[in-house]
Amino acid sequence: MEDEENIEGELLLVESQLHDIQGQIKTLLDRQEELYERQAQLKALLEASKLTRNTTINTSSVAPEDWSGSFPWDLEADDTRFNIFGISSYRSNQREIINAVMSGRDVLVIMAAGGGKSLCYQLPAVLRDGIALVVSPLLSLIQDQVMGLSALGIPAYMLTSTTNKEVEKFIYKTLDKGEGELKILYVTPEKISKSKRFMSKLEKCHHAGRLSLIAIDEAHCCSQWGHDFRPDYKNLGILKIQFPSVPMIALTATATSKVQMDLMEMLHIPRCIKFVSTVNRPNLFYKVSEKSPVGKVVIDEITKFISESYPNNESGIIYCFSRKECEQVAKELRERGISADYYHADMDIVNREKIHMRWSKGKSQVIVGTVAFGMGINKPDVRFVIHHSLSKSMETYYQESGRAGRDGLPSECILYYRPGDVPRQSSMVFYENCGLQNLYDIVRYCQSKRSCRHGAFFRHFGEVPQDCNGMCDNCASTIEQKDIDVTYHTKIIVSLLHDMQLNDQRATLLQLVDKFKSKWKGLGSFNEAVDLRKEEVEQLIVNLILDNVLKEEFQHTAYSTNAYVTLGALWKPALQGNRVVKLEIAIASKDRDVRSKGAKRGRMSDLEAKLDELRRDLSSTGSDAIFPHAVLTAQQISLLSSQKPTTPAELEKVIGKVKTRKYGSKIIELMRSHDNSGSGRGKEAGDEHRAKKIKTKDEDVVCVESSEEE
Ligand SMILES: Nc1ncnc2c1ncn2[C@@H]1O[C@H](COP(=O)(O)OP(=O)(O)OP(=O)(O)O)[C@@H](O)[C@H]1O
Ligand SMILES: [Mg+2]
């Protein structure tokens, strides 16, 4: 009996160990697959880099067909783009994509956040006869788009859970009989997968030849490999099966090849034309700031940054690690006079929506959020995104920081980093598939004081690097870095851990730093090696983790998971001092105060401030209350204040016919009164030359820079 119990006990133990090992094997196999894919990507990248070394760099791969030639709809398309959408020229790939859709082809668009994907289906939707169906994952995104289109006079509607009965009746009737005026219909994916009634009306619409195109926005939601997988997106394959002759355009900002393959298969568009644009965001200035261990110091720095650089209430986002931290940071910012609200998943949806709306309308300046503040953000003029703590991967950092500057104007992305934050993140992600590897990639990014930040994104997404034109701290900084030899320090750290391991002891990162410091002190004057600051010891230990000399181990307690530092695979050569270890140190000790050339805008001119006020007024009055940026974009305000049109004909040349018809009289009235008030031509005579256009490397992004700082 006792024997049996013993056997059963051991059996359970063996089974649980087997289970653990199987889990580990699966993780390793997944990682192996990822590494193979990355290996192939890097080899291809190397080849491409060799090929392009001496030629001009072209990072967007365009399909072999010539989609940039002339097409019968060119004139009409140009007219609609400018006079209805108020867009003065196409950005990279937009024209080609529009031509492919207009030619009736299926298209897959991979374009960075803010690249201008919406126009790629909205313009063909206006030009083609019939109704365009757009599938989009979030109600808030749909509402923004429908409001924006309606303000431009384009008949756009949405059919969602919030649509009232009357509108629903109108939509169904229009689909059915083609009587009402409807050009673009937005739905959530649930409508396709769950509403038989809707699908049968759509079928009728198609049968009568009135379904002009199908757009799947945020298409990465189809793929389980994407970051925002939505089960209902999986059913969208039905659309191509039901309506094979209707052109489909799928759009996403997510670049991995796995997701792309998945999308083409799931949406049944194997022969689609694929347009992959560069991941480059040339208008974003990237910076990593040394984060003080004292919380208040960090908040003081952020406050100073916002109030000095963005005195006109320009919008920003601050990402925090936890809900509690969000609330704390928002509170402290408010105490310092910054209008900040917090946003996280613990809040109810009504409250979240209210906060989001206040910010979108420019009534609050900053949202302090967790990652829950995500995909629904459609605000084009976010001027700064600050990470109070590091993100969990390069991919998430690219997405979160990429919410800045979607309108193409200079914007800043700052990440506050200290090595001490690493264990906090690692103990959250270590159980995720490849969670630690992904985290260590962004830690590498943060620890580097030399490599171009944009270059890190190019490498990560497998693209040939381009020059960042001084748009990151490392490229813009003139402070010299030096490599110091820390082989001896490393030896001490490894031997400390080795001794601890022999005694069955463990140490967290901070404990290890303290142990190192006291050991170092003990060595006293016999020690000739460079003395390191506490932060530098932390930096060294994290480097050793990244290099597999050390590793992190995790232990669960009832309340949390603790991260410990232990010996990694390569500890022996480090202990023997056989491997030289270097650490990058800035020669000047203070934080490098490098800034983006374009981002620091100073105070708005008098005229810009008046135009900003006018757009707020116009956006909140009338039946179609919309966002200020839908009335006039930041770019249009800059153009108006430099060109000062005072007649409808002049105004039309800046903002197009539709906006001139809607808002022209008010704008002209403002221009004229400003002119007559004496604060006009005289005071702002310098504006014309001060508001200068800078062309970045990406020829399609025109940044209008107000240069008070000159
Ligand atoms: N050719 C253009 N010239 C100037 N502005 C443009 C142009 N095309 C689009 N925009 C503007 O750029 C901003 C971002 O466009 P859009 O919302 O289509 O981006 P997106 O690619 O869908 O980004 P996301 O992935 O974040 O959804 C909008 O304010 C839009 O009006
Ligand atoms: Mg979009």
Side-chain angles (χ1 to χ4, degrees):
M1 185 69 180
E2 201 178 313
D3 270 359
E4 267 179 35
E5 271 176 16
N6 285 342
I7 293 171
E8 277 171 4
E10 192 182 342
L11 182 61
L12 277 178
L13 196 68
V14 168
E15 279 172 352
S16 110
Q17 282 177 353
L18 275 173
H19 186 260
D20 273 0
I21 288 174
Q22 276 155 4
Q24 287 170 25
I25 291 174
K26 185 179 174 307
T27 309
L28 284 173
L29 284 173
D30 284 346
R31 179 67 186 149
Q32 177 177 303
E33 197 190 327
E34 247 197 30
L35 286 173
Y36 276 138
E37 197 184 328
R38 185 69 181 148
Q39 182 188 39
Q41 221 177 27
L42 289 174
K43 280 184 179 168
L45 187 60
L46 208 58
E47 280 302 304
S49 177
K50 281 180 190 158
L51 274 175
T52 50
R53 193 181 304 146
N54 297 320
T55 55
T56 48
I57 296 167
N58 175 13
T59 50
S60 34
S61 73
V62 175
E65 286 103 321
D66 181 15
W67 297 107
S68 51
S70 328
F71 289 87
W73 47 81
D74 282 350
L75 275 181
E76 205 191 339
D78 284 345
D79 182 59
T80 309
R81 168 181 50 74
F82 184 65
N83 283 315
I84 296 183
F85 287 94
I87 285 179
S88 50
S89 59
Y90 288 117
R91 287 195 189 146
S92 180
N93 274 355
Q94 280 180 323
R95 180 163 186 270
E96 290 75 7
I97 294 165
I98 288 165
N99 285 336
V101 177
M102 289 299 291
S103 306
R105 301 292 299 265
D106 295 329
V107 173
L108 174 60
V109 177
I110 319 283
M111 193 186 272
K117 291 182 282 296
S118 316
L119 190 74
C120 299
Y121 60 83
Q122 290 172 347
L123 185 53
V126 174
L127 294 184
R128 284 173 77 93
D129 286 336
I131 298 169
L133 176 75
V134 183
V135 183
S136 178
L138 283 185
L139 210 60
S140 63
L141 278 180
I142 295 181
Q143 280 162 342
D144 281 10
Q145 300 262 357
V146 171
M147 274 194 315
L149 289 167
S150 306
L152 298 174
I154 299 166
Y157 289 87
M158 58 183 188
L159 192 57
T160 65
S161 52
T162 60
T163 310
N164 70 39
K165 283 277 164 263
E166 217 166 292
V167 175
E168 189 181 283
K169 219 165 116 190
F170 161 82
I171 293 169
Y172 279 139
K173 211 166 131 200
T174 310
L175 287 175
D176 209 351
K177 305 212 165 68
E179 284 165 6
E181 245 205 295
L182 171 56
K183 274 319 281 180
I184 309 185
L185 177 61
Y186 281 85
V187 295
T188 47
E190 293 74 37
K191 263 286 169 268
I192 311 289
S193 57
K194 303 217 169 84
S195 170
K196 285 205 178 95
R197 180 166 176 227
F198 174 68
M199 284 308 280
S200 92
K201 297 285 177 194
L202 203 59
E203 181 66 59
K204 279 195 178 168
C205 175
H206 173 242
H207 196 69
R210 283 186 278 102
L211 186 56
S212 64
L213 68 95
I214 297 170
I216 314 289
D217 205 3
E218 310 286 352
H220 58 275
C221 296
C222 290
S223 169
Q224 295 201 47
W225 304 107
H227 43 91
D228 284 310
F229 172 61
R230 298 284 154 115
D232 281 301
Y233 257 72
K234 261 196 352 201
N235 302 320
L236 297 182
I238 183 86
L239 290 169
K240 196 72 211 174
I241 296 170
Q242 296 257 82
F243 316 117
S245 58
V246 179
M248 174 175 278
I249 171 171
L251 311 103
T252 174
T254 302
T256 67
S257 51
K258 207 168 193 170
V259 173
Q260 290 172 29
M261 302 280 283
D262 235 18
L263 290 185
M264 284 157 62
E265 201 180 305
M266 295 176 93
L267 294 173
H268 301 293
I269 46 170
R271 276 183 293 281
C272 64
I273 320 245
K274 199 162 93 177
F275 291 91
V276 182
S277 302
T278 171
V279 294
N280 194 16
R281 301 289 307 277
N283 59 317
L284 300 188
F285 183 85
Y286 276 97
K287 176 178 174 178
V288 176
S289 275
E290 206 173 291
K291 180 176 176 184
S292 163
V294 184
K296 292 212 181 313
V297 174
V298 183
I299 306 286
D300 285 341
E301 278 180 27
I302 294 178
T303 307
K304 183 165 178 274
F305 166 78
I306 297 175
S307 48
E308 283 181 3
S309 311
Y310 298 101
N312 311 300
N313 202 37
E314 289 95 338
S315 305
I317 303 173
I318 300 177
Y319 279 110
C320 289
F321 179 72
S322 66
R323 296 160 195 192
K324 214 172 117 205
E325 204 170 69
C326 281
E327 295 183 11
Q328 184 67 21
V329 170
K331 179 172 158 271
E332 295 203 21
L333 284 175
R334 275 199 304 275
E335 284 166 5
R336 288 163 175 78
I338 306 276
S339 72
D341 285 322
Y342 64 85
Y343 183 110
H344 56 65
D346 264 356
M347 295 156 64
D348 66 63
I349 191 148
V350 178
N351 230 340
R352 271 191 287 175
E353 198 41 47
K354 217 168 79 189
I355 299 290
H356 189 177
M357 210 41 120
R358 262 168 60 76
W359 178 73
S360 297
K361 287 185 170 262
K363 288 181 181 156
S364 66
Q365 182 174 18
V366 178
I367 283 199
V368 187
T370 57
V371 290
F373 190 51
M375 196 163 56
I377 309 165
N378 215 19
K379 198 168 177 10
D381 50 3
V382 177
R383 291 279 76 88
F384 58 93
V385 173
I386 296 174
H387 276 74
H388 183 265
S389 303
L390 82 168
S391 298
K392 63 177 192 170
S393 69
M394 286 299 281
E395 187 120 355
T396 41
Y397 184 56
Y398 177 76
Q399 271 154 19
E400 288 159 5
S401 60
R403 293 182 180 126
R406 289 169 71 258
D407 55 8
L409 295 180
S411 308
E412 291 177 276
C413 307
I414 300 176
L415 193 159
Y416 278 89
Y417 170 73
R418 66 188 186 99
D421 275 354
V422 175
R424 216 156 60 127
Q425 268 290 11
S426 60
S427 53
M428 297 291 291
V429 302
F430 80 97
Y431 67 90
E432 287 177 19
N433 198 0
C434 303
L436 275 185
Q437 273 94 2
N438 290 338
L439 175 67
Y440 292 163
D441 281 347
I442 185 157
V443 172
R444 230 171 248 119
Y445 167 96
C446 295
Q447 297 251 118
S448 167
K449 295 190 173 65
R450 286 208 181 99
S451 317
C452 172
R453 308 283 181 203
H454 288 263
F457 290 122
F458 289 129
R459 263 195 314 283
H460 182 81
F461 290 111
E463 206 178 287
V464 177
Q466 300 174 50
D467 189 348
C468 91
N469 282 324
M471 285 300 277
C472 79
D473 54 353
N474 284 349
C475 294
S477 165
T478 50
I479 291 177
E480 248 183 84
Q481 308 292 322
K482 69 172 179 184
D483 281 337
I484 57 166
D485 190 327
V486 287
T487 313
Y488 182 59
H489 309 72
T490 304
K491 211 170 150 172
I492 295 177
I493 292 170
V494 174
S495 81
L496 273 171
L497 280 174
H498 188 241
D499 290 349
M500 287 171 68
Q501 211 149 309
L502 290 177
N503 294 321
D504 240 2
Q505 291 173 333
R506 293 161 177 266
T508 62
L509 174 66
L510 296 184
Q511 288 163 346
L512 185 57
V513 173
D514 287 343
K515 279 187 190 295
F516 172 84
K517 279 298 223 185
S518 59
K519 175 93 185 179
W520 189 264
K521 220 169 162 187
L523 291 170
S525 52
F526 300 110
N527 182 10
E528 284 170 8
V530 185
D531 197 7
L532 297 180
R533 289 189 295 135
K534 187 166 177 269
E535 295 74 34
E536 287 162 351
V537 180
E538 287 180 355
Q539 194 187 329
L540 170 60
I541 294 173
V542 170
N543 267 354
L544 294 173
I545 293 172
L546 298 178
D547 290 344
N548 287 316
V549 173
L550 306 180
K551 71 172 193 288
E552 284 189 284
E553 256 177 26
F554 302 92
Q555 196 184 38
H556 304 284
T557 69
Y559 306 103
S560 61
T561 304
N562 295 331
Y564 297 97
V565 183
T566 60
L567 297 176
L570 302 177
W571 67 273
K572 264 194 190 146
L575 183 65
Q576 289 153 358
N578 290 343
R579 196 166 151 268
V580 178
V581 185
K582 302 265 183 190
L583 189 69
E584 280 177 20
I585 303 274
I587 289 178
S589 61
K590 72 176 181 51
D591 188 15
R592 299 162 305 161
D593 190 25
V594 282
R595 296 292 309 278
S596 155
K597 287 170 282 178
K600 199 172 180 185
R601 292 172 61 83
R603 282 225 170 261
M604 273 180 184
S605 72
D606 195 26
L607 181 54
E608 280 175 324
K610 282 182 183 165
L611 286 164
D612 183 43
E613 204 182 312
L614 177 67
R615 70 172 176 166
R616 279 169 213 257
D617 287 350
L618 289 171
S619 71
S620 57
T621 52
S623 55
D624 54 348
I626 48 172
F627 293 123
H629 60 77
V631 177
L632 288 176
T633 63
Q635 206 157 9
Q636 285 170 332
I637 288 192
S638 285
L639 286 173
L640 288 174
S641 84
S642 65
Q643 298 183 10
K644 300 192 177 70
T646 46
T647 65
E650 282 172 6
L651 185 61
E652 254 182 43
K653 289 197 188 117
V654 184
I655 61 171
K657 280 185 186 149
V658 169
K659 284 191 178 179
T660 302
R661 199 161 52 232
K662 278 192 91 154
Y663 313 118
S665 58
K666 295 260 189 230
I667 295 173
I668 288 170
E669 192 185 318
L670 187 150
M671 289 289 177
R672 287 186 181 155
S673 74
H674 178 80
D675 221 11
N676 294 335
S677 71
S679 54
R681 302 258 183 227
K683 189 173 168 204
E684 289 181 338
D687 271 12
E688 245 125 323
H689 85 264
R690 278 196 284 143
K692 69 171 190 191
K693 278 185 177 183
I694 52 164
K695 273 210 162 205
T696 62
K697 265 239 153 148
D698 179 349
E699 290 290 287
D700 294 280
V701 182
V702 177
C703 304
V704 179
E705 182 189 28
S706 153
S707 47
E708 253 94 340
E709 63 186 317
E710 278 182 338

